[in-house]
Amino acid sequence: MTEKAADRRSFESTDDNRVAGPLIHAQQIVFDDDIGLELGGRLQAVRCAYETWGTLNQDASNAVLVCHALSGDSHAARHDPQDDPGWWDDLIGPGKPIDTDRFFVVCPNVLGGCRGTTGPGDINPETGKPFGADFPQITIGDMVTVQKQLADHLGIYRWRAIIGGSLGGHQAMSWVSRFPRCTDVCVIIASSPRLTSQALGFDVIGRNAIQTDPHFYGGQYYDKPRRPDTGLAIARMLGHITYLSTEVMEKKFESDRHDPREIATSFEQRFSIGSYLAHQGQKFTTRFDANSYVTITMAMDLFDLGSSRLQLMETFGDAECEFLLVSFSSDWLFTPRQSRDMVNALTALDKSVTYAEITSPRGHDSFLINEDIRQYAPLIQARLGDLDQEPHQISMVESLILDEIPESASVLDLGCGDGHLLAELKRRGHQKLVGVEVAQSGILKAGSRGLNIIDYDLNEGLPAFIDNQFDVVVLSATLQAVANVEMLFDEMLRVGSRAIVSFPNFAYRELREDYVIRGRSPKAPGEFGYEWYNTPNRRFPSIADVHDLCRQKQIRLVNEYYFNASTGEQVRADQDPNLNADTAILVIAAD
Amino acid sequence: MTEKAADRRSFESTDDNRVAGPLIHAQQIVFDDDIGLELGGRLQAVRCAYETWGTLNQDASNAVLVCHALSGDSHAARHDPQDDPGWWDDLIGPGKPIDTDRFFVVCPNVLGGCRGTTGPGDINPETGKPFGADFPQITIGDMVTVQKQLADHLGIYRWRAIIGGSLGGHQAMSWVSRFPRCTDVCVIIASSPRLTSQALGFDVIGRNAIQTDPHFYGGQYYDKPRRPDTGLAIARMLGHITYLSTEVMEKKFESDRHDPREIATSFEQRFSIGSYLAHQGQKFTTRFDANSYVTITMAMDLFDLGSSRLQLMETFGDAECEFLLVSFSSDWLFTPRQSRDMVNALTALDKSVTYAEITSPRGHDSFLINEDIRQYAPLIQARLGDLDQEPHQISMVESLILDEIPESASVLDLGCGDGHLLAELKRRGHQKLVGVEVAQSGILKAGSRGLNIIDYDLNEGLPAFIDNQFDVVVLSATLQAVANVEMLFDEMLRVGSRAIVSFPNFAYRELREDYVIRGRSPKAPGEFGYEWYNTPNRRFPSIADVHDLCRQKQIRLVNEYYFNASTGEQVRADQDPNLNADTAILVIAAD
């Protein structure tokens, strides 16, 4: 790598395409009516700057609202090839996952911002001077109020989708909690119902740095020769560290730790990370306003939809839309656990929800990065109606399982893989269908079919679901991989009226012969190529073993099927299936 | 909980006992000779403040050096019951793990500090004013140079032990890398060979906050009416967040997030964490000097023993001492992975080392907290000669294993449990003995016997050890729990000339009968009370299965023993052990 490339590489950040100049494609609207604020006070003549892509169709049913994050603005994507890059170019554009040839995309700058929409830098009509730190404390809800005014102005009464990451996710959540019928689809990425205490702490420190900057002047610095750039740069440096995963930080700074790139700065430059942070901090001050930073971070910090499941259920109880939530494994600022808290409330409410935790080393920034967008974009496309229509194959086992599922029954499929069983149920007209899967390829495939898939580990039980939520719970060809069997059985029968469990029979004749004659650990059928020392399976029950467990747990056997998967021959219950069948399907219910 | 108690609880930190007043027990020495500094320059008439406990014995062989962390000082423990508390009271004192009735404990304030030892606040003889920011850049090595001068002064030429956490661990590492014969024991807690890039980034930001404080005056603020307290408070706030685990942060601030305690501060107080940080930040400024903070953090940031195993091996190659390393699972500032990097270098050098990763929710602070000290203290006591002498029981299987181990052979015991096999080998005179164990209770018990125990997960292989490091590797009654069997076999025969593997035989007659007659999943002998659905074991090989694997991998069978563990009867190789023995011991070697 040339030195120049190395320099560029080490300074590369997801924000390097942010420009400080005017947003030439931004439109503006000034609202006639005052905006009443949630914490008190009003704002007059609020101006909203926004950009749009594509064309609103006749019945205004194809509008997609894109909500930007803390340091973002209305320029989510290019308008033409010569345009400045947008912050979500990989997601939005002609033929892109959010296809501007099909959808009318709207991206407004948030209230309190400094990129066109009314914010602390604007003139306070009562004083004739900029608001500065006297700009009223706004909330995410207030940002949404302004966006709603914009929607009314544009003739949009229901969004096709509202989508945002981080702070943008907060806005999306606020929309559907305040206006339950505002959208068909709500997409919440790398976000949370409230910040962690740690994230809150970092924000507090950042604001302290800004507000104690000698050039802050109580926020009235606009007519002064100097601005609180030092404090703002420090706040931004702190933010930067929180957006990067530890892995990314090691990659970026490990090899040249003691070789800082020389830049013009009065900040410390002893280490490569020092000059990087100085560069990022200073660059930020050329395009962002300190008062806006304070205002917006405070709104994020005040955002609190609740921390308990009940509170969250109350918040989203009336929402009439489909949800998609995405988190990233290495995001330590907006953690997967917080997304799961949201998901647990939505599933308990029987809302249509898909949730994927994308495996990524790139931290909170992931939602803006191409490699990660490529992973989660198909889920968005599916929610926007662009479904994977690949025909699905049903095995014999699955046919028998399907036969056991009553018409129009609600079904939870645990370890659903790529969702083909659920796809078949959907084809047959079943309405309430949910899959649980932990393998990312399965989740993305099933999600692309338009199914509701939850990215959960079955060994943690089924905390997402409430008692008796489903008519049928299916555990097909998955029992062997489960560590916590007893708990899962309890959970299945808590959540479902009945459960259908299929598994390979470990006491099958051929296996017994193998074992008895050869004295080798039996290899269950279907254990294609696995040996005793590398099989991913943990549990090797015989049919009799599972019957014993059910008896012990006073689980009622409703129905039973035994057969040889290879020949397709069924084995009757009086034909010693424990010896003669290689596969079993048990239908069970709580006693 | 009363309101007062709640107030106290939410503000409680491991530092709340720090006092700003004079250290009445500190002694001082001013050195005649200049101190030459590693990065250039010299300091004259360096003064070292220190405290001692206990009495130095006649041959000066009972001295323990305690090295403090960033914001610490010489007052590691009380000198009497009425004394102010010390920062490591739970560890140091009469009858405590570091027993001041037996040892002469010395704790000096570090060079560059502000608690008695020469630092930036002292007068520069060349200018007659305080050094300020002109204090030369010092290193951890320079801190150690001053400590060595102190040791010489006290007549101590070899320490019984050097012990430190965090920055204190850096000092301990620097001691043994520069003075390889300086100590019998080196204890390194919650530390690292160099900071992570993330930790470095946080330090850079903290220093930026201090140095851009309007009252910093290039470090020459001592005669000014105001000090750079704002910047120092902000730096401290940042440090605080990094010392706390996310779990602790949620516990401390979750329930009263929006109810800040009112305190006198100009910092933001909108949230409970805000007033906590403001309180902690401000309190710190009453007892710590900004220039010292800059100086010491920079020394920590410059500390770099290398990032590769080879570099670390070069650093510690000559060290002649026993090592003890301790990390904490939720410490995200000085991570367990970094401790493992150190351990991998020490084991490759055949150094005597014990390493434990203590499971704790309390983050980096853990090393100072009572509940965690109680976990790791026995390991320190063992290193100080206070061994657990509980007699150990040897089972029949283990007897046979012991018979297979040549006299004075070096042995690595994988999954060594509480170390009793190693204890027996030690009793029989074997010298080089190392255990690997992942269960904390086992590690602490084995460590308390004075054995070298490494806290590693066998499923990650044996990266700590080099080729042919041991005569014998033992895997006793552990094979069943291993996920990655093939890789472990390869590793065992890479690391050892031969391996001894004992395991229950899954094809034992009784199990086959059970299986064939009852059609139930066989329960291996010794699977006390476990069923198919909850056994922690993953692998169920028969003797024949293991022979097959060895054949396939061209592993040579050196010797074999088969028997019934319950009766003690041996089964000869020609007596169909695969059917008639419930336990096997195989001695294997690479072909």
Side-chain angles (χ1 to χ4, degrees):
Chain A
M1 187 181 296
T2 66
E3 199 179 287
K4 195 158 180 227
D7 276 349
R8 250 184 287 122
R9 173 186 57 81
S10 70
F11 270 56
E12 185 185 287
S13 87
T14 51
D15 264 345
D16 261 5
N17 56 5
R18 311 305 299 126
V19 289
L23 296 158
I24 59 175
H25 293 279
Q27 306 170 61
Q28 291 190 355
I29 172 79
V30 179
F31 301 117
D32 297 326
D33 296 330
D34 287 1
I35 303 276
L37 304 172
E38 285 188 339
L39 297 178
R42 315 187 68 76
L43 284 168
Q44 307 166 13
V46 169
R47 181 184 65 252
C48 179
Y50 63 100
E51 294 178 47
T52 73
W53 298 257
T55 313
L56 188 63
N57 63 8
Q58 186 144 39
D59 56 356
S61 62
N62 71 336
V64 173
L65 176 65
V66 172
C67 304
H68 70 71
L70 173 55
S71 64
D73 56 29
S74 59
H75 196 59
R78 288 182 162 91
H79 292 268
D80 54 66
Q82 283 72 46
D83 198 9
D84 289 326
W87 52 269
W88 238 354
D89 269 333
D90 293 313
L91 196 60
I92 303 168
K96 298 271 178 76
I98 298 180
D99 188 350
T100 52
D101 285 339
R102 288 173 55 210
F103 300 104
F104 178 60
V105 180
V106 182
C107 183
N109 178 221
V110 294
L111 179 68
C114 50
R115 301 288 278 149
T117 296
T118 298
D122 286 294
I123 301 297
N124 180 351
E126 286 174 26
T127 64
K129 304 164 71 115
F131 285 99
D134 295 326
F135 190 74
Q137 183 54 59
I138 56 163
T139 63
I140 305 295
D142 296 330
M143 293 176 183
V144 168
T145 299
V146 169
Q147 292 166 359
K148 182 134 196 339
Q149 299 269 27
L150 174 64
D152 293 347
H153 164 71
L154 293 173
I156 297 164
Y157 301 101
R158 184 172 169 97
W159 297 98
R160 182 67 182 84
I162 298 175
I163 169 169
S166 200
L167 164 64
H170 285 175
Q171 294 160 57
M173 283 185 259
S174 181
W175 261 101
V176 299
S177 69
R178 294 178 61 208
F179 305 109
R181 286 177 301 284
C182 69
T183 185
D184 293 347
V185 170
C186 182
V187 182
I188 301 159
I189 305 176
S191 197
S192 64
R194 67 188 224 172
L195 264 57
T196 60
S197 295
Q198 185 188 64
L200 195 48
F202 284 130
D203 276 358
V204 166
I205 293 174
R207 282 194 296 272
N208 279 331
I210 290 171
Q211 290 162 333
T212 56
D213 184 301
H215 303 288
F216 185 64
Y217 302 113
Q220 289 297 339
Y221 49 77
Y222 297 106
D223 56 349
K224 302 283 192 297
R226 296 186 56 180
R227 301 206 154 191
D229 286 344
T230 300
L232 180 59
I234 285 174
R236 178 61 167 177
M237 290 181 198
L238 197 45
H240 250 287
I241 295 184
T242 62
Y243 306 150
L244 301 180
S245 65
T246 48
E247 181 166 339
V248 162
M249 295 223 36
E250 291 305 311
K251 267 215 179 87
K252 270 172 115 73
F253 305 111
E254 180 85 350
S255 52
D256 60 353
R257 169 172 292 210
H258 301 283
D259 297 321
R261 175 174 140 173
E262 285 286 326
I263 63 166
T265 183
S266 55
F267 286 121
E268 185 190 290
Q269 288 201 79
R270 188 71 181 67
F271 304 100
S272 60
I273 190 177
S275 53
Y276 171 85
L277 289 174
H279 172 72
Q280 290 297 339
Q282 289 177 171
K283 201 165 63 120
F284 190 66
T285 64
T286 66
R287 71 176 184 86
F288 214 87
D289 174 58
N291 282 322
S292 277
Y293 195 89
V294 168
T295 297
I296 296 175
T297 57
M298 183 62 90
M300 287 180 77
D301 293 350
L302 290 170
F303 184 71
D304 190 342
L305 297 185
S307 52
S308 76
R309 189 186 208 182
L310 280 176
Q311 285 171 322
L312 289 169
M313 285 172 71
E314 215 174 283
T315 300
F316 293 103
D318 297 330
E320 291 177 23
C321 59
E322 296 184 320
F323 288 88
L324 169 62
L325 276 78
V326 179
S327 68
F328 300 91
S329 56
S330 59
D331 187 342
W332 56 278
L333 191 63
F334 289 83
T335 63
R337 202 215 75 187
Q338 291 171 292
S339 285
R340 287 197 297 272
D341 285 347
M342 288 278 303
V343 172
N344 286 355
L346 295 173
T347 52
L349 289 167
D350 254 346
K351 301 296 181 192
S352 193
V353 54
T354 283
Y355 167 60
E357 176 188 321
I358 303 294
T359 302
S360 164
R362 287 168 284 272
H364 184 54
D365 263 358
S366 299
F367 80 97
L368 297 166
I369 296 175
N370 189 30
E371 290 96 313
D372 301 295
I373 290 173
R374 276 196 306 229
Q375 296 295 308
Y376 71 80
L379 298 176
I380 295 177
Q381 283 173 272
R383 280 296 194 233
L384 290 176
D386 181 9
L387 302 180
D388 180 338
Q389 308 275 22
E390 192 184 315
H392 45 268
Q393 304 279 8
I394 297 296
S395 71
M396 189 193 84
V397 181
E398 289 162 339
S399 266
L400 288 166
I401 290 174
L402 287 165
D403 287 346
E404 268 300 312
I405 297 175
E407 197 175 309
S408 69
S410 55
V411 180
L412 174 66
D413 186 358
L414 305 179
C416 67
D418 68 1
H420 59 276
L421 191 75
L422 293 171
E424 177 58 19
L425 286 163
K426 188 172 172 186
R427 195 187 68 74
R428 296 183 185 195
H430 292 254
Q431 301 275 336
K432 184 162 124 184
L433 299 168
V434 179
V436 171
E437 180 52 56
V438 75
Q440 188 160 307
S441 56
I443 295 161
L444 298 184
K445 182 78 181 172
S448 304
R449 297 188 196 267
L451 298 164
N452 288 323
I453 306 298
I454 311 294
D455 185 350
Y456 274 19
D457 180 348
L458 294 178
N459 288 309
E460 316 253 319
L462 303 172
F465 307 106
I466 60 177
D467 298 4
N468 295 314
Q469 190 163 358
F470 295 90
D471 297 320
V472 181
V473 178
V474 173
L475 186 73
S476 172
T478 301
L479 177 60
Q480 320 83 277
V482 176
N484 210 332
V485 173
E486 266 199 282
M487 190 262 290
L488 188 58
F489 267 64
D490 290 340
E491 285 285 275
M492 290 197 294
L493 294 175
R494 173 181 70 75
V495 162
S497 302
R498 61 182 55 174
I500 303 176
V501 183
S502 79
F503 57 95
N505 173 26
F506 197 63
Y508 178 53
R509 175 197 299 280
E510 273 182 34
L511 302 187
R512 292 196 218 189
E513 283 163 5
D514 198 49
Y515 180 46
V516 170
I517 293 167
R518 296 182 60 243
R520 299 309 197 272
S521 198
K523 278 201 285 188
E527 295 251 286
F528 313 98
Y530 285 126
E531 300 292 335
W532 68 268
Y533 53 84
N534 61 12
T535 173
N537 292 335
R538 301 185 58 98
R539 303 298 179 208
F540 308 91
S542 65
I543 291 168
D545 277 316
V546 179
H547 277 298
D548 284 350
L549 180 65
C550 290
R551 221 173 344 259
Q552 181 194 310
K553 298 181 70 61
Q554 296 186 311
I555 290 171
R556 184 163 54 93
L557 187 66
V558 174
N559 222 334
E560 46 190 336
Y561 301 90
Y562 310 105
F563 50 94
N564 288 311
S566 34
T567 62
E569 261 175 61
Q570 270 199 261
V571 177
R572 287 195 325 266
D574 62 352
Q575 288 178 317
D576 198 358
N578 200 38
L579 180 66
N580 295 309
D582 66 19
T583 309
I585 299 175
L586 302 184
V587 184
I588 57 181
D591 219 345
Chain B
M1 188 182 293
T2 65
E3 200 178 287
K4 196 159 179 224
D7 277 347
R8 251 184 285 122
R9 172 185 58 78
S10 70
F11 270 57
E12 186 185 288
S13 86
T14 51
D15 264 345
D16 261 6
N17 55 5
R18 311 305 302 124
V19 289
L23 295 158
I24 59 174
H25 294 280
Q27 307 171 61
Q28 292 190 353
I29 172 81
V30 179
F31 301 117
D32 296 325
D33 295 331
D34 287 359
I35 303 278
L37 305 172
E38 285 189 337
L39 297 179
R42 315 186 67 76
L43 284 169
Q44 308 166 12
V46 170
R47 182 184 65 252
C48 179
Y50 62 100
E51 293 177 48
T52 72
W53 300 257
T55 312
L56 188 63
N57 63 8
Q58 186 143 39
D59 57 354
S61 63
N62 71 336
V64 173
L65 176 65
V66 172
C67 303
H68 70 71
L70 173 54
S71 64
D73 57 27
S74 58
H75 196 61
R78 288 181 163 92
H79 292 269
D80 54 67
Q82 283 72 47
D83 198 9
D84 290 325
W87 52 270
W88 238 354
D89 269 334
D90 293 312
L91 197 60
I92 303 167
K96 298 271 178 75
I98 298 180
D99 188 350
T100 52
D101 285 341
R102 288 173 54 211
F103 299 105
F104 178 62
V105 181
V106 181
C107 183
N109 180 218
V110 293
L111 179 68
C114 50
R115 300 290 277 150
T117 296
T118 297
D122 285 294
I123 301 298
N124 180 351
E126 285 175 27
T127 64
K129 306 164 72 114
F131 284 98
D134 295 328
F135 190 74
Q137 183 53 60
I138 57 163
T139 62
I140 305 296
D142 295 330
M143 294 177 182
V144 167
T145 299
V146 168
Q147 292 167 359
K148 181 134 196 339
Q149 299 270 26
L150 174 64
D152 293 346
H153 164 71
L154 294 173
I156 297 163
Y157 301 103
R158 184 173 170 97
W159 297 97
R160 181 69 182 83
I162 298 175
I163 168 169
S166 200
L167 164 64
H170 285 174
Q171 293 161 57
M173 284 184 258
S174 180
W175 261 101
V176 300
S177 69
R178 294 178 61 207
F179 306 108
R181 285 176 303 284
C182 69
T183 185
D184 294 345
V185 170
C186 182
V187 182
I188 302 159
I189 305 176
S191 196
S192 64
R194 69 188 225 172
L195 264 56
T196 60
S197 295
Q198 184 188 66
L200 194 47
F202 284 131
D203 276 358
V204 166
I205 293 174
R207 282 194 296 271
N208 279 331
I210 290 170
Q211 290 162 334
T212 56
D213 184 302
H215 302 289
F216 184 64
Y217 301 114
Q220 289 298 337
Y221 48 78
Y222 297 105
D223 56 348
K224 302 284 191 295
R226 297 186 58 181
R227 301 205 156 193
D229 287 343
T230 300
L232 180 59
I234 285 175
R236 178 62 167 177
M237 291 181 198
L238 198 45
H240 251 288
I241 293 184
T242 63
Y243 306 151
L244 302 181
S245 64
T246 49
E247 183 166 339
V248 162
M249 296 228 27
E250 291 305 310
K251 268 215 178 88
K252 270 174 115 72
F253 305 111
E254 179 84 350
S255 53
D256 61 352
R257 167 171 294 209
H258 301 284
D259 296 322
R261 175 174 141 174
E262 284 287 326
I263 62 166
T265 183
S266 54
F267 286 121
E268 185 189 288
Q269 288 201 80
R270 189 70 182 67
F271 303 100
S272 61
I273 190 178
S275 52
Y276 171 85
L277 289 174
H279 172 72
Q280 290 296 340
Q282 289 177 171
K283 200 164 63 120
F284 189 66
T285 64
T286 66
R287 70 174 185 87
F288 214 87
D289 174 58
N291 282 322
S292 276
Y293 196 89
V294 168
T295 298
I296 297 174
T297 57
M298 183 61 90
M300 287 179 78
D301 292 350
L302 289 170
F303 184 71
D304 189 342
L305 297 185
S307 52
S308 77
R309 191 185 206 182
L310 279 176
Q311 286 172 323
L312 291 169
M313 285 172 71
E314 214 173 283
T315 299
F316 293 103
D318 297 329
E320 291 176 19
C321 60
E322 296 186 319
F323 287 89
L324 169 61
L325 276 79
V326 179
S327 68
F328 300 92
S329 57
S330 58
D331 187 343
W332 56 279
L333 192 62
F334 289 83
T335 63
R337 202 215 75 187
Q338 293 172 291
S339 285
R340 287 198 296 273
D341 285 348
M342 289 276 304
V343 172
N344 286 355
L346 296 173
T347 52
L349 288 167
D350 254 346
K351 301 299 180 191
S352 192
V353 54
T354 283
Y355 168 61
E357 176 188 321
I358 303 295
T359 302
S360 166
R362 287 169 284 272
H364 183 56
D365 263 359
S366 299
F367 80 97
L368 297 166
I369 296 175
N370 190 30
E371 290 95 314
D372 300 295
I373 291 173
R374 277 196 305 229
Q375 296 295 308
Y376 71 81
L379 298 176
I380 295 177
Q381 282 173 271
R383 280 295 193 233
L384 290 176
D386 182 9
L387 302 180
D388 179 340
Q389 308 275 24
E390 192 184 315
H392 46 266
Q393 306 278 10
I394 297 296
S395 71
M396 190 194 83
V397 182
E398 289 162 340
S399 266
L400 289 165
I401 290 174
L402 287 165
D403 286 347
E404 266 301 311
I405 298 175
E407 198 175 307
S408 69
S410 56
V411 180
L412 173 66
D413 187 357
L414 305 179
C416 67
D418 68 2
H420 60 276
L421 191 75
L422 293 171
E424 177 58 20
L425 285 164
K426 188 170 171 187
R427 196 188 66 74
R428 296 183 184 195
H430 293 254
Q431 300 276 336
K432 184 162 124 185
L433 301 167
V434 179
V436 171
E437 180 52 56
V438 75
Q440 187 159 307
S441 55
I443 296 160
L444 299 184
K445 182 77 181 171
S448 304
R449 298 188 195 266
L451 297 164
N452 288 324
I453 306 298
I454 310 294
D455 185 349
Y456 273 20
D457 181 349
L458 294 177
N459 287 309
E460 316 254 320
L462 303 172
F465 308 106
I466 59 177
D467 299 4
N468 295 312
Q469 189 164 0
F470 295 89
D471 297 320
V472 180
V473 179
V474 173
L475 186 73
S476 173
T478 300
L479 177 60
Q480 321 80 279
V482 176
N484 210 330
V485 173
E486 266 199 280
M487 189 263 290
L488 189 58
F489 268 64
D490 290 340
E491 284 286 275
M492 290 197 295
L493 294 176
R494 174 181 70 75
V495 162
S497 302
R498 60 183 54 175
I500 304 175
V501 183
S502 79
F503 57 95
N505 173 25
F506 197 62
Y508 177 52
R509 175 195 299 279
E510 272 182 34
L511 302 187
R512 293 195 218 191
E513 282 162 5
D514 198 49
Y515 181 47
V516 170
I517 292 166
R518 296 182 59 243
R520 301 306 198 274
S521 198
K523 278 200 288 187
E527 294 250 285
F528 313 98
Y530 285 125
E531 299 293 334
W532 68 268
Y533 53 83
N534 61 12
T535 173
N537 292 336
R538 300 184 59 98
R539 304 297 178 208
F540 308 92
S542 66
I543 291 168
D545 277 315
V546 180
H547 277 299
D548 284 351
L549 180 64
C550 291
R551 219 171 349 256
Q552 179 195 312
K553 296 180 71 60
Q554 297 186 312
I555 289 171
R556 184 164 52 94
L557 187 67
V558 174
N559 221 334
E560 46 191 334
Y561 300 91
Y562 309 106
F563 50 95
N564 287 311
S566 35
T567 62
E569 261 176 61
Q570 270 199 259
V571 176
R572 288 195 323 267
D574 63 352
Q575 289 178 317
D576 198 357
N578 200 36
L579 180 64
N580 295 307
D582 65 20
T583 308
I585 299 175
L586 301 183
V587 184
I588 56 180
D591 221 345

